[in-house]
Amino acid sequence: MDAEVVFLPLNRTIKVRPGTTVLQAARKAGIAIVTRCGGNAACFMCKVNIADSSGLAPMKDNERRKLAGLEQTGTRLACQAIVQRAVTVELPPDPLRAAIAKQLKQQEEDDSLW
C-alpha cells in the first residue's frame, strides 16, 4: 500500500512506497531539495521539518548524531527520513529567496523612515 507525502508550502502531494526516503519522494514529485553528499547524511543540507513524524521510520543513530538535538524541534534529514505511512513535510525556504526577502523587507523599513 502506498504512503502519501505532502510537501508544504507547495501543497504538492505524491504517493510513494513505504521505505522511500523523503528526499526520493521529493525528487519524484519534482521538488528540489539541496544535497551535496548524495544522501549519506554528511552535508546537513537536506533539513526538513516534520510536525508529526509518526509516518516516518524511527531515526537511526547517524541522523540523530548529525542533528545534535534539532530532532526535538521536528527537524529531519530528508535523505535519512524513511516514509512508512502518510506524512507532511515542511520545506524550509530557499536560502537565496530568503536572503532576498530579508533584504527587501529591510529596504521597505529603511524607506519608511524617510
Side-chain angles (χ1 to χ4, degrees):
M1 186 159 101
D2 289 343
E4 188 175 88
V5 182
V6 178
F7 291 95
L8 299 177
L10 303 173
N11 290 323
R12 195 169 305 165
T13 302
I14 189 161
K15 292 189 181 207
V16 298
R17 290 189 176 151
T20 303
T21 66
V22 169
L23 180 61
Q24 292 167 331
R27 288 179 175 164
K28 184 176 176 186
I31 298 169
I33 295 179
V34 179
T35 179
R36 286 190 194 146
C37 69
N40 296 310
C43 71
F44 200 59
M45 293 184 71
C46 66
K47 294 184 307 279
V48 294
N49 293 313
I50 312 288
D52 178 6
S53 64
S54 64
L56 298 176
M59 190 178 299
K60 294 181 181 174
D61 286 337
N62 63 338
E63 182 182 11
R64 189 177 318 284
R65 280 192 305 271
K66 192 69 173 178
L67 290 172
L70 285 175
E71 70 276 7
Q72 295 173 4
T73 63
T75 300
R76 295 288 302 260
L77 297 179
C79 69
Q80 299 299 301
I82 298 172
V83 178
Q84 290 185 323
R85 293 178 298 284
V87 66
T88 300
V89 178
E90 185 177 342
L91 301 169
D94 176 84
L96 180 57
R97 286 187 178 155
I100 291 169
K102 182 178 177 183
Q103 184 64 35
L104 290 172
K105 183 177 179 184
Q106 184 63 46
Q107 285 177 341
E108 285 177 9
E109 290 173 3
D110 290 347
D111 288 344
S112 69
L113 294 174
W114 299 101

